[in-house]
Amino acid sequence: MIKQNPLQSIESIISNQEEKEMTFLSKEDIETVLLKAEGSKYYLPILIAVHTGMRRGEILGLTWEDINLEDRVITVNKQLLYQNKELILTSPKTKTSNRKFMIPSILADQLQQVKNTQDEHKAYYGEHYHLETNFVCCEEDGSPLKPYELTSFTSDLSKTLDMPFRFHDLRHSHASLLLEADVNVKVIQERLGHSTINTTLNVYSHVSQKLERNSIDKFEKLFATQKEKRMAN
């Protein structure tokens, strides 16, 4: 028996390394990525990542039971991983990764189109369609997309566009754009499934600093406007 986990410090080191490697795509960059990916089977996972900030495994583990298109709500309760040369469905990364959040209408509309197309594929493939999985992001026959192939596609896309980024950077970009849009950081924390709000603030401190500068600029303009009014009177 030991009193503390000797791996805690190692986890901290890994976390710091990941933060240094983060890349944040602008709105224009994201539009370029989506345009290039459109038409491929990986377009939907990329679109979901952009509009939700979900992790790769969470996106590939989504089933239609997790999506309420009428209320535009997604439930995250599992993830699809590739371990020991096989695909497995397991619980999310952390306890707080189990979450519900709303999605924009543009994503809901796209998901509805995908669902309609999948219904056509079910009719075409008949008994050969993989009904037992019911994945949202899948092959034409309903079988799951492989996580490492999505990563490989994203890597190739990055090289083609000469725009260095990883699939996970779409998650960072989602949060960064929300912060820049002045969305409450507590809302962002819950969307991303961070265990504490400090995690969100620490990871996206560069955006927080930019927002602080913008706030100060607005504050100064407010007093400048009031001063101009007094001088005019």
Side-chain angles (χ1 to χ4, degrees), residues 116-126 129 139-142:
N116 294 341
T117 300
Q118 285 187 13
D119 287 341
E120 295 175 1
H121 290 163
K122 289 175 185 177
Y124 176 78
Y125 283 92
Y129 192 89
E139 301 284 358
E140 191 172 294
D141 64 354

Side-chain angles (χ1 to χ4, degrees), residues 161-190:
L161 295 174
D162 193 22
M163 187 187 300
F165 72 95
R166 307 162 302 168
F167 186 84
H168 197 71
D169 291 324
L170 299 175
R171 171 176 167 84
H172 299 316
S173 301
H174 172 77
S176 179
L177 291 173
L178 285 179
L179 279 168
E180 289 189 20
D182 205 22
V183 174
N184 188 288
V185 70
K186 184 65 178 176
V187 173
I188 298 173
Q189 175 207 342
E190 293 174 352

Side-chain angles (χ1 to χ4, degrees), residues 13-231:
I13 292 172
I14 292 174
S15 177
N16 289 338
Q17 288 177 343
E18 288 179 348
E19 288 177 18
K20 292 179 181 177
E21 298 172 357
M22 284 190 298
T23 297
F24 300 90
L25 303 183
S26 67
K27 181 177 178 293
E28 291 73 24
D29 289 338
I30 288 174
E31 289 175 348
T32 299
V33 169
L34 288 172
L35 186 62
K36 191 66 176 179
E38 193 169 9
S40 77
K41 60 185 177 183
Y42 301 110
Y43 174 75
L44 183 60
I46 290 174
L47 185 70
I48 294 174
V50 165
H51 287 290
T52 68
M54 290 170 64
R55 301 177 179 92
R56 182 189 66 177
E58 295 172 344
I59 293 172
L60 297 184
L62 275 176
T63 54
W64 288 108
E65 294 85 356
D66 304 324
I67 299 179
N68 182 332
L69 289 174
E70 184 176 347
D71 295 334
R72 303 206 324 258
V73 172
I74 278 183
T75 299
V76 179
N77 52 34
K78 56 188 175 298
Q79 59 178 336
L80 182 70
L81 302 178
Y82 185 74
Q83 294 180 348
N84 301 321
K85 296 184 178 181
E86 65 177 358
L87 293 172
I88 60 168
L89 271 178
T90 183
S91 57
K93 184 178 180 181
T94 63
K95 183 178 180 180
T96 52
S97 294
N98 287 278
R99 60 201 189 275
K100 289 184 179 182
F101 52 82
M102 292 192 67
I103 59 174
S105 57
I106 185 174
L107 178 56
D109 292 343
Q110 182 65 44
L111 286 169
Q112 183 62 66
Q113 291 180 32
V114 169
K115 196 172 189 304
N116 294 341
T117 300
Q118 285 187 13
D119 287 341
E120 295 175 1
H121 290 163
K122 289 175 185 177
Y124 176 78
Y125 283 92
E127 62 181 13
H128 300 292
Y129 192 89
H130 291 257
L131 288 171
E132 73 282 359
T133 51
N134 204 26
F135 285 117
V136 173
C137 301
C138 61
E139 301 284 358
E140 191 172 294
D141 64 354
S143 58
L145 295 180
K146 298 177 178 61
Y148 58 85
E149 290 184 352
L150 173 57
T151 297
S152 179
F153 175 84
T154 308
S155 177
D156 291 343
L157 189 61
S158 169
K159 293 173 183 175
T160 300
L161 295 174
D162 193 22
M163 187 187 300
F165 72 95
R166 307 162 302 168
F167 186 84
H168 197 71
D169 291 324
L170 299 175
R171 171 176 167 84
H172 299 316
S173 301
H174 172 77
S176 179
L177 291 173
L178 285 179
L179 279 168
E180 289 189 20
D182 205 22
V183 174
N184 188 288
V185 70
K186 184 65 178 176
V187 173
I188 298 173
Q189 175 207 342
E190 293 174 352
R191 285 183 72 84
L192 297 181
H194 285 158
S195 55
T196 68
I197 200 167
N198 286 336
T199 302
T200 311
L201 291 171
N202 290 337
V203 172
Y204 304 105
S205 59
H206 73 292
V207 185
S208 300
Q209 292 168 4
K210 179 180 178 180
L211 293 176
E212 183 179 5
R213 286 194 298 271
N214 292 340
S215 297
I216 293 300
D217 289 342
K218 291 178 182 178
F219 186 74
E220 288 180 348
K221 288 179 181 178
L222 173 64
F223 277 90
T225 302
Q226 291 178 345
K227 182 178 179 180
E228 290 172 1
K229 287 181 178 180
R230 288 197 301 270
M231 291 179 64

